[in-house]
């Protein structure tokens, strides 16, 4: 069993309206030291395999096909033994 | 009886709430901007639906820090009537005025339809013109309306009769025990996902929400006499 | 120096071609300017002269639409059209496509489409009160169509996400599934707004010295060249930067701030920065006023450091507007925008020299004559040729088809077809009730939105049948207008005006251009007969991929006036004992071009269904008169699936059975499932029957009493033989369950 | 300048319908080896400070107050130099 920890975030040039709204609120709350907030998705996927190379290939495929839309998002992941 | 309808950036059912108070009760009602710090003039504070701050992060999460929410807390402690509808309910749970949290609907879609509710507690200030067990048709319109609280809190809500409405014979969002609306222990703060202000004329599809407004007026009048 | 190609390089290495300009167009630019354009200027010409902005292929055709009538206050040419509805009230509306972005990022593509059309309407000074849409996807059944389901699901979620958040009810629309759209889904969004005559604002930049402000969101590097992108063939292989993320929360604030600003009376002109962003908004505003503009690129509020004038001018970042204020009144804008937590920044001034001049501080970085950007854009009179496929489709002989033996089963098959099945799955994701003015929610022929403080209401719908247009472009165009108007009439409204979204494949193919030209001519004919001028619209061409052209799909948005809320009518049957009448010709329906022929026999063939515009007009007038006289309990037009499907829909909605009896020489499948224009089903109480029949006779319209309502089953007898007999509840479960079953 | 990488996830006792939906979709695409998916939020916050201890305290506060709703969510974060 392995676990993939995947981060899907908006590409740098793409507007992150959530992030902007949270930045403003943090400033309003007095957290002036905050200069930027970006918000993305975090996924933990358990896969029933022991072959790291295969897992890597399969997770990449899942990201490309379903978990991220690479038109606006990028992804990265790490794999570990569960 | 004087009503305040709060307006946060992104509120969008504020006008509907104003119209409902005007049409059903004919009582004075003001819209109050979120930066207002004093609500002591008002007898009932309505926190309307919509998407305050775009519902970014979590619905209600950013609105609860608006200056006006301090005033809402103060007035609620004094026993004034406070109603949070939809996004208003989310804001009240986020600010701790009501227990629990509203999660994404279990089917993950926004759902807008007229939904039957059963009145669980007709003894509150908000429901005295209903009878316990009445089934009323009230619109829902939300994406994050799945009520959650831990077992202990749910038990307490049930024991204190704080569950005011439940969805009846339908489950639009996966709420625990089909909870659609709750009040605080003191009974002066109500939060509900369905929109009574959208059910005040037959031509809107239902007029079953009117009794909620008439109940509040009667409760207030009762207090004035007392 | 910036790492941009020099004017010489652009010319010699033909870099302009990568911008979508051809050699001839480039040469024309050089001669108009009297010099070679630099990089920024080339970019600006390329977007202004793109199909999307210049309408270079479609303009000669669009000019032929009837656009005038006494009640038209603003015709095509502004951000949205406006019509008068009496009592100093006016209605502004427009429809727009977001097909290409939605094909590659369905959620954001659809969401930003909604955002864009809302801006078009509130820039006119109108308060948006309703949204509608029209959608086309490939088939969603079966394991091979997961991508179509993904597109469908996310487009709907994107429309919902934006409209719900901003608090404008989505009250109507339509969805059609056909593999012709599998590579090119169509996403058309319409917005309707309400205003008083004195609130009308326009996109003009007049008054020398007046300040020009950028308001709303900051400019980012997103969506550069989106307009060009919308004008090219294959969205999948092209520049992908043209997809943006929408921020409905920002737009809600922008909407409130702009309406407050317009109400201040200090606004000279206002326009949204839509396709081609700052470029088209500035050029068009100056062009309308016959003025010039000077903008300082350094002052444009930006999201990222180091943005070049090229990027600032071509960015399609959402939720931005360009505003010209009266001189000295900038502070009014600043104060209002500050209250809404938004920025309003002076970025330039109006001039009188007819130039669009861009500077960085003191340095001029681009300088173009405004009229050359707008009026001198090329116009192409594309060759047109009757498509050869018409020879085959018209050869179809209905006699070659055998009607199914089990017509109950056929009815179920049709009700299960996603194009006909209940769209509840879609519209329950839309907040259709916010603003508490929606009297008829999605699920009836046209939606109805009331106007507070009056007894008036607005009926509105979107409609279009690409298959009809494919089979007979001219008549198909007529059908689109006729059906939209008929839907408005069924809800109790008098059709007033049209907005259109013209979705076609490549105009460079003569056969496609023929479809385009002919269908527009058909629409014009119908508009004239039905007295519904075109007041706004949008064109989306190049909807083709992998050698598959979409059906020519003009979508009509129609708005009508309900004089009194008492006239509001829905399609659902109301009470047992009432009569059901078929108004309009009873023998014109045929299976050619029908949904039945497509679904049950797998054929798209024959001519488009019959339609006579003068009969159509008479039927609509007759039914509206009957409704206004208070005699009609329900009205429903006959569309896809014909009589049997229409009756089933009304029965399902009313949870009420009907016993109908027809006598005819036609084949059973023609009678039950055949399609034709000008037919409306009405429910009338027995005591009103004579009066209603008198109205129909007076209008010279035929009507047939089909039978009576009652019981829990739908029964249809033809020439004495029972051909349909089914419990309404069974029909309902088929119809309601179809799409959820495919999607879950 | 420091960056906080924050993960906000649903508590184990709270159902994660989004995770279940993604699991289903992955199975439909043939990724049968996937046994579980949990989905949460990922935030990247830039703060203008060099004092790690202060940053830690401030970020914790932001999480408690705003970034997570501790009725249903838990959070964890790491801080690093930007
Ligand atoms: N995309 C959509 N958005 C909103 N409402 C829709 C949509 N698609 C269909 N509907 C609603 O479903 C009902 C039936 O649609 P349709 O079968 O296309 O009707 P018609 O044949 O009369 O045009 C209409 O009331 C329409 O408003
Ligand atoms: Mg119809």
């Amino acid at each position: 069993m392995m676990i993939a920890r995947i981060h899907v975030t908006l590409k740098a040039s793409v507007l992150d309206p959530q992030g902007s709204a949270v930045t403003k609120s943090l400033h309003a709350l007095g957290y002036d030291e905050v200069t930027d907030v970006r918000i993305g998705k975090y996924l933990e996927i358990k896969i029933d395999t022991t072959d790291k190379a295969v897992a890597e290939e399969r997770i990449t495929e899942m990201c490309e096909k379903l978990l991220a839309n690479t038109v606006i998002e990028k992804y990265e992941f790490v794999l570990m033994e569960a | 009886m004087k009503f305040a309808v709060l307006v946060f950036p992104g509120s969008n059912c504020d006008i509907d709430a104003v119209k409902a108070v005007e049409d059903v009760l004919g009582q004075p009602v003001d819209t109050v901007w979120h930066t207002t710090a004093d609500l002591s003039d008002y007898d009932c504070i309505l926190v309307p639906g919509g998407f305050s701050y775009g519902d970014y992060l979590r619905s209600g999460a950013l609105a609860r820090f608006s200056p006006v929410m301090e005033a809402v807390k103060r007035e609620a402690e004094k026993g004034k009537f406070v109603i949070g509808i939809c996004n208003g309910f989310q804001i009240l749970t986020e600010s701790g005025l009501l227990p629990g949290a509203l999660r994404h609907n279990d089917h993950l879609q926004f759902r807008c339809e007229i939904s039957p509710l059963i009145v669980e507690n007709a003894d509150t200030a908000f429901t005295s013109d209903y009878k316990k067990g009445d089934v009323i048709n009230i619109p829902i319109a939300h994406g994050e309306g799945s009520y959650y609280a831990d077992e202990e809190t749910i038990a307490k809500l049930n024991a204190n009769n704080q569950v005011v409405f439940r969805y009846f014979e339908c489950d639009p969002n996966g709420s625990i025990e089909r909870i659609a609306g709750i009040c605080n222990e003191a009974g002066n703060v109500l939060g509900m996902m369905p929109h009574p202000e959208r059910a005040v004329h037959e031509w809107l599809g239902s007029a079953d929400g009117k009794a909620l407004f008439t109940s509040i007026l009667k409760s207030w009048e009762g207090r004035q006499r007392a | 120096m910036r790492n941009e190609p020099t004017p010489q390089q652009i010319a010699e290495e033909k870099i302009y071609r990568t911008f979508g300009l051809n050699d001839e167009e480039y040469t024309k630019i050089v001669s108009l300017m009297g010099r070679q354009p630099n990089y920024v200027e080339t970019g600006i010409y390329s977007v202004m002269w793109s199909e999307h902005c210049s309408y270079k292929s479609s303009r000669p055709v669009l000019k032929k639409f009837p656009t005038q009538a006494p009640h038209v206050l603003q015709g095509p040419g502004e951000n949205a059209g406006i019509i008068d509805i009496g009592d100093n009230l006016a209605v502004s509306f427009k429809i727009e496509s977001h097909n290409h972005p939605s094909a590659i990022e369905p959620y954001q593509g659809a969401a930003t489409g909604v955002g864009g059309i809302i801006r078009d309407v509130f820039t006119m000074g109108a308060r948006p009160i309703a949204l509608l849409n029209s959608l086309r996807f490939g088939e969603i059944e079966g394991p091979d169509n997961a991508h179509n389901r993904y597109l469908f699901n996310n487009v709907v979620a994107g429309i919902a996400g934006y409209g719900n958040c901003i608090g404008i009810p989505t009250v109507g629309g339509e969805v059609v599934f056909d593999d012709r759209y599998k590579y090119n889904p169509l996403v058309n969004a319409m917005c309707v707004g309400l205003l008083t005559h004195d609130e009308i604002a326009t996109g003009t930049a007049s008054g020398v010295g007046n300040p020009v402000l950028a308001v709303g969101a900051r400019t980012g590097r997103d969506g550069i060249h989106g307009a060009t992108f919308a004008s090219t063939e294959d969205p999948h292989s092209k520049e992908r930067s043209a997809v943006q993320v929408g921020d409905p929360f920002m737009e809600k604030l922008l909407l409130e701030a702009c309406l407050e600003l317009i109400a201040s009376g200090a606004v000279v002109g206002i326009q949204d920065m839509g396709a081609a962003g700052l470029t088209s908004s500035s050029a068009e505003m100056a062009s309308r006023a016959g003025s010039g503009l000077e903008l300082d690129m350094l002052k444009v509020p930006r999201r990222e450091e180091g943005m070049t004038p090229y990027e600032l001018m071509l960015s399609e970042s959402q939720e931005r507007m360009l505003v010209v204020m009266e001189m000295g009144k900038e502070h009014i804008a600043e104060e209002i925008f500050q209250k809404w937590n938004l920025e309003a920044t002076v970025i330039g001034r109006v001039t009188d020299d007819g130039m669009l001049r861009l500077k960085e501080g003191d340095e001029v970085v681009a300088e173009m004559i405004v009229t050359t950007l707008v009026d001198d854009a090329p116009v192409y009179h594309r060759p047109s040729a009757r498509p050869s496929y018409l020879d085959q489709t018209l050869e179809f002989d209905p006699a070659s088809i055998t009607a199914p033996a089990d017509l109950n089963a056929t009815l179920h098959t049709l009700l299960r077809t996603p194009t006909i099945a209940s769209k509840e799955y879609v519209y329950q994701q839309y907040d259709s009730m916010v603003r508490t003015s929606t009297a008829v929610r999605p699920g009836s022929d046209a939606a109805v939105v009331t106007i507070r403080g009056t007894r008036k209401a607005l009926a509105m719908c979107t409609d279009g049948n690409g298959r009809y247009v494919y089979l007979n472009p001219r008549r198909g165009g007529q059908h689109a207008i006729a059906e939209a108007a008929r839907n408005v009439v069924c809800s109790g409204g008098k059709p007033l005006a049209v907005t259109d979204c013209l979705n076609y494949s490549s105009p460079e193919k003569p056969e496609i251009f023929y479809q385009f030209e002919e269908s527009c001519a058909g629409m014009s004919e119908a508009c004239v007969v039905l007295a519904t001028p075109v007041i706004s619209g949008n064109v989306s061409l190049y909807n083709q991929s992998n050698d598959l052209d979409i059906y020519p799909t003009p979508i009509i948005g129609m708005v009508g006036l309900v004089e009194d809320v008492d006239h509001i009518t829905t399609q659902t049957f109301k009470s047992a004992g009432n009569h059901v009448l078929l108004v309009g010709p009873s023998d014109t329906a045929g299976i050619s071009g029908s949904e039945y022929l497509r679904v049950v026999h797998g054929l798209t063939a024959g001519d488009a269904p019959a339609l006579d515009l003068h009969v159509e007009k008479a039927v609509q007038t007759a039914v509206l008169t009957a409704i206004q006289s208070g005699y009609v309990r329900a009205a429903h037009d006959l569309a896809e699936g014909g009589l049997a499907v229409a009756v089933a829909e009304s029965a399902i909605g009313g949870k009420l059975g009907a016993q109908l009896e027809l006598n005819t020489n036609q084949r059973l499948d023609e009678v039950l499932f055949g399609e034709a224009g000008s037919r409306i089903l009405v429910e009338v109480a027995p005591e009103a029957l004579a009066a209603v029949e008198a109205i129909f006779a007076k209008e010279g319209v035929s009507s047939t009493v089909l039978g009576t309502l009652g019981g829990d089953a739908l029964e249809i007898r033809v020439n004495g033989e029972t051909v349909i007999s089914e419990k309404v509840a069974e029909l309902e479960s088929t119809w309601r369950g179809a799409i959820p079953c495919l999607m879950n």
Side-chain angles (χ1 to χ4, degrees), chain A, chain B, chain C:
Chain A
M1 195 67 90
M2 306 198 77
I3 291 191
R5 305 184 67 167
I6 309 172
H7 292 94
V8 179
T9 48
L10 288 167
K11 287 182 180 171
S13 65
V14 174
L15 173 72
D16 176 9
Q18 279 214 87
S20 320
V22 171
T23 310
K24 278 191 193 160
S25 289
L26 286 172
H27 289 169
L29 286 173
Y31 296 104
D32 295 319
E33 68 267 42
V34 171
T35 60
D36 190 40
V37 180
R38 300 282 291 178
I39 303 190
K41 263 185 298 208
Y42 168 65
L43 297 96
E44 261 177 31
I45 300 196
K46 280 203 191 120
I47 38 177
D48 192 4
T49 179
T50 44
D51 184 331
K52 190 156 177 186
V54 171
E56 201 150 323
E57 197 190 303
R58 299 283 280 180
I59 292 284
T60 307
E61 242 182 69
M62 293 179 209
C63 286
E64 289 283 337
K65 267 197 191 162
L66 182 73
L67 307 177
N69 182 345
T70 52
V71 173
I72 51 173
E73 295 169 324
K74 58 187 180 4
Y75 61 89
E76 54 184 43
F77 63 88
V78 289
L79 265 171
M80 48 189 76
E81 298 289 333
Chain B
M1 177 178 191
K2 215 169 157 193
F3 286 79
V5 173
L6 307 189
V7 186
F8 300 91
S11 294
N12 60 37
C13 303
D14 45 335
I15 304 300
D16 302 351
V18 169
K19 290 196 287 190
V21 172
E22 284 173 355
D23 291 2
V24 178
L25 303 178
Q27 296 292 317
V29 50
D30 291 339
T31 51
V32 175
W33 192 234
H34 67 113
T35 50
T36 310
D38 182 3
L39 292 170
S40 53
D41 267 0
Y42 298 98
D43 305 300
C44 178
I45 299 158
L46 246 149
V47 194
F51 285 72
S52 56
Y53 296 92
D55 269 3
Y56 292 141
L57 195 63
R58 293 181 310 277
S59 45
L62 304 182
R64 79 170 254 225
F65 293 107
S66 282
V68 78
M69 288 312 296
E70 285 306 311
V72 173
K73 274 188 198 159
R74 241 183 349 259
E75 302 306 317
E77 273 160 28
K78 288 191 215 156
K80 294 261 185 83
F81 301 127
V82 176
I83 311 176
I85 298 171
C86 198
N87 195 225
F89 185 17
Q90 294 160 340
I91 295 170
L92 295 182
T93 56
E94 282 281 340
S95 15
L97 277 160
L98 289 171
L102 281 314
R103 304 165 297 177
H104 276 287
N105 293 351
D106 58 356
H107 48 75
L108 299 171
Q109 290 180 343
F110 191 94
R111 180 63 55 87
C112 173
E113 67 193 3
I114 295 182
S115 172
L117 306 181
I118 184 162
V119 179
E120 284 282 327
N121 181 349
D123 296 329
T124 74
F126 310 97
T127 50
S128 54
D129 277 352
Y130 296 109
K131 289 191 303 294
K132 183 175 162 68
D134 275 356
V135 174
I136 58 175
N137 287 313
I138 307 285
I140 57 164
H142 58 249
E144 296 177 35
S146 178
Y147 184 76
Y148 174 87
D150 57 30
E151 275 174 37
E152 195 185 330
T153 310
I154 296 282
K156 230 172 100 186
L157 288 174
N158 284 323
N160 294 339
N161 250 327
Q162 283 172 256
V163 176
V164 182
F165 302 107
R166 289 184 210 272
Y167 301 105
F168 180 68
E169 288 185 348
C170 68
D171 175 9
N173 55 30
S175 290
I176 294 197
E177 295 190 1
R178 292 190 184 175
I179 289 174
I182 56 168
C183 62
N184 63 347
E185 262 187 82
N188 66 316
V189 178
L190 170 74
M192 62 193 293
M193 287 313 295
H195 287 271
E197 84 284 12
R198 294 187 182 191
V200 295
H201 298 289
E202 284 302 339
W203 63 264
L204 285 171
S206 167
D208 292 350
K210 280 165 95 165
L212 187 128
F213 292 92
T214 56
S215 299
I216 301 168
L217 182 59
K218 274 192 200 152
S219 307
W220 179 77
E221 285 166 348
R223 278 191 187 177
Q224 296 308 102
R225 281 193 299 273
Chain C
M1 262 328 280
R2 287 200 178 94
N3 194 14
E4 288 173 351
T6 63
Q8 292 86 325
Q9 283 171 323
I10 292 169
E12 281 156 22
E13 295 164 29
K14 300 196 191 302
I15 293 173
Y16 55 82
R17 284 185 184 173
T18 63
F19 289 70
L21 290 168
N22 63 31
D23 296 354
E24 209 178 308
E25 288 167 342
Y26 177 77
T27 311
K28 186 171 171 187
I29 293 168
V30 173
S31 84
L32 286 169
M33 294 190 79
R35 61 177 166 85
Q36 288 171 340
N38 66 22
Y39 189 68
V40 188
E41 291 160 342
T42 310
I44 289 176
Y45 274 103
S46 78
V47 291
M48 288 306 294
W49 287 16
S50 70
E51 186 67 57
H52 195 80
C53 290
S54 74
Y55 291 87
K56 57 190 169 190
S57 299
S58 59
R59 211 159 12 149
V61 176
L62 301 183
K63 273 202 188 127
K64 297 183 189 154
F65 279 139
T67 57
Q68 284 172 1
H71 65 280
V72 175
L73 300 177
Q74 175 66 59
E78 269 287 348
N79 291 301
I82 304 180
I83 53 170
D84 179 20
I85 55 162
D87 300 333
N88 196 36
L89 291 169
V91 178
S92 175
F93 59 95
K94 187 176 183 211
I95 190 166
E96 197 157 70
S97 68
H98 236 214
N99 304 337
H100 299 271
S102 303
I104 58 171
E105 213 314 297
Y107 185 98
Q108 295 297 344
T112 51
V114 172
I117 196 64
I118 293 171
R119 285 195 298 283
D120 273 334
V121 165
F122 75 73
T123 25
M124 300 308 294
R127 157 78 57 184
I129 58 166
L131 293 167
L132 301 95
N133 55 75
S134 175
L135 312 176
R136 298 290 181 277
F137 303 96
E139 301 284 359
I140 53 170
E141 278 152 307
D144 297 339
N145 288 324
H147 188 67
N148 295 341
R149 288 193 290 273
Y150 158 81
L151 290 174
F152 172 45
N153 212 13
N154 284 281
V155 161
V156 169
I159 291 172
Y162 208 100
N164 296 349
C165 181
I166 198 168
I168 303 167
T170 301
V171 299
E174 46 151 26
V175 197
V176 170
F177 303 90
D178 189 301
D179 270 341
R180 282 290 185 136
Y181 304 101
K182 69 178 168 187
Y183 304 121
N184 289 272
L186 302 184
V187 177
N188 294 180
M190 170 172 168
C191 180
V192 180
L194 188 67
L195 69 169
T196 56
H197 288 201
D198 41 283
E199 286 168 339
I200 296 176
T202 55
T204 36
S206 56
V208 177
N210 278 339
V212 179
L213 288 84
V215 307
R218 295 173 157 237
T219 301
R221 284 199 171 99
D222 39 6
I224 290 173
H225 267 300
T228 319
F229 170 74
S231 312
T232 53
E233 289 199 7
D234 183 7
H236 302 270
S237 60
K238 297 291 167 185
E239 174 104 57
R240 292 179 143 210
S241 72
V243 172
Q244 307 116 62
V245 169
D247 184 353
F249 170 56
M250 169 71 85
E251 180 136 316
K252 165 75 174 163
L253 305 183
L254 187 63
L255 156 68
E256 297 299 340
C258 285
L259 289 180
E260 206 173 314
L261 185 65
I262 292 168
S264 77
V267 172
V268 173
I270 177 165
Q271 164 138 349
D272 92 288
M273 296 193 213
L278 193 47
T279 291
S280 68
S281 52
S282 57
E284 285 171 16
M285 284 186 81
S287 158
R288 288 193 196 103
S291 65
L293 288 182
E294 189 171 293
L295 307 177
D296 185 350
M297 295 293 100
L298 296 179
K299 296 201 172 127
V300 178
R302 63 206 65 204
R303 281 210 316 268
E304 292 173 69
E305 290 305 313
M307 288 184 67
T308 64
Y310 176 87
E311 290 169 325
L312 292 166
M313 289 303 288
L314 270 68
S315 159
E316 292 193 358
S317 291
Q318 299 285 304
E319 291 94 21
R320 301 177 300 156
M321 311 278 276
L322 195 66
V323 181
V324 177
M325 298 285 293
E326 283 174 24
M327 211 184 319
K329 297 199 174 159
E330 297 86 333
H331 65 278
I332 297 181
E334 279 151 20
E335 278 157 25
I336 291 174
F337 277 75
Q338 199 159 34
K339 169 182 159 195
W340 290 99
N341 247 317
L342 295 171
E343 288 179 297
T345 312
V346 176
I347 62 166
R349 305 247 154 222
V350 178
T351 64
D352 60 359
D353 62 4
M355 303 298 283
L356 178 60
R357 187 175 302 110
L358 310 178
K359 294 171 130 183
E360 276 192 311
D362 289 333
E363 187 196 343
V364 174
V365 296
E367 194 167 28
M368 295 143 293
I369 302 168
V370 170
T371 53
T372 65
L373 290 169
V374 182
D375 307 325
D376 293 331
V379 175
Y380 294 125
H381 296 271
R382 305 276 190 200
S384 159
R386 182 176 178 278
S388 51
Y389 69 77
L390 287 174
D391 294 333
Q392 288 130 47
T393 51
L394 287 171
E395 247 174 35
F396 168 74
D397 177 9
S400 65
I401 297 291
T402 343
D406 184 348
L407 295 160
N408 262 342
T410 308
L411 179 55
H412 277 286
T413 303
L414 284 172
L415 291 174
R416 192 181 294 118
T417 300
T419 295
I420 289 177
S422 167
K423 305 302 185 303
E424 201 171 52
Y425 175 87
V426 174
Y427 60 69
Q428 72 186 3
Q429 296 184 53
Y430 303 152
D431 188 341
S432 54
M433 307 183 216
V434 62
R435 298 184 55 76
T436 48
S437 299
T438 313
V440 179
R441 284 175 279 133
S444 207
D445 282 326
V448 180
V449 177
T450 58
I451 302 173
R452 191 164 168 88
T454 75
R455 293 199 55 85
K456 291 180 177 174
L458 297 170
M460 53 191 79
C461 68
T462 55
D463 250 302
N465 187 319
R467 191 174 59 245
Y468 290 1
V469 182
Y470 175 75
L471 294 173
N472 182 335
R474 183 168 293 234
R475 195 189 292 158
Q478 296 176 346
H479 267 292
I481 301 285
E483 183 174 350
R486 205 181 311 130
N487 279 322
V488 164
V489 164
C490 286
S491 292
K494 177 178 165 24
L496 287 182
V498 163
T499 182
D500 65 275
C501 194
L502 306 175
N503 307 276
Y504 296 79
S505 175
S506 167
E508 294 166 34
K509 297 185 199 169
E511 303 201 338
I512 302 295
F513 198 71
Y514 176 93
Q515 294 173 338
F516 182 64
E517 227 176 21
E518 280 289 298
S519 55
C520 288
M523 284 185 260
S524 292
E525 288 163 352
C527 286
V528 169
V529 175
L530 301 177
T532 52
V534 173
I535 64 157
S536 58
N538 177 251
V539 181
S540 170
L541 300 174
Y542 299 100
N543 291 289
Q544 81 204 85
S545 296
N546 306 332
D547 283 332
L548 186 64
D549 302 318
I550 62 159
Y551 283 140
T553 312
I555 297 299
I556 302 306
M558 179 79 72
V559 174
L561 179 65
V562 181
E563 285 286 352
D564 190 296
V565 289
D566 286 344
H567 303 163
I568 295 172
T569 305
T570 63
Q571 71 181 35
T572 56
F573 287 149
K574 304 297 183 307
S575 324
N578 283 350
H579 296 305
V580 179
L581 278 72
L582 176 63
V583 190
S586 59
D587 57 358
T588 50
I591 62 172
S592 284
S594 67
E595 188 73 17
Y596 157 78
L597 188 61
R598 186 184 88 91
V599 172
V600 177
H601 302 287
L603 287 173
T604 294
D607 203 344
L611 175 65
D612 177 322
L613 289 175
H614 295 281
V615 172
E616 180 73 44
K617 173 71 180 169
V619 167
Q620 292 190 16
T621 307
V623 170
L624 187 59
T625 308
I627 287 175
Q628 291 173 335
S629 310
Y631 298 136
V632 175
R633 309 292 301 124
H636 187 21
D637 86 308
L638 271 57
E640 286 93 346
L643 177 68
V645 164
V647 174
E649 287 170 344
S650 294
I652 291 167
K655 298 198 183 300
L656 187 58
Q659 289 71 48
L660 313 180
E661 170 98 51
L662 287 88
N663 292 301
T664 170
N665 304 323
Q666 288 188 291
R667 306 158 44 136
L668 286 177
D669 54 355
E670 268 176 356
V671 175
L672 295 174
F673 311 119
E675 296 173 19
S678 321
R679 302 188 304 158
I680 297 175
L681 209 59
V682 298
E683 174 188 345
V684 173
E687 58 275 18
L689 186 59
V692 165
E693 286 182 326
I695 291 173
F696 296 157
K698 178 156 171 279
E699 296 295 338
V701 164
S702 62
S703 70
T704 320
V705 177
L706 297 180
T708 328
L709 297 179
D712 62 359
L714 173 61
E715 282 169 32
I716 304 180
R717 285 152 61 89
V718 178
N719 301 334
E721 186 196 340
T722 299
V723 294
I724 297 281
S725 173
E726 181 62 290
K727 288 261 195 288
V728 173
E730 293 295 321
L731 298 172
E732 172 166 3
S733 88
T734 297
W735 179 76
R736 222 180 268 287
I739 292 181
C741 173
L742 294 174
M743 296 304 292
N744 295 328

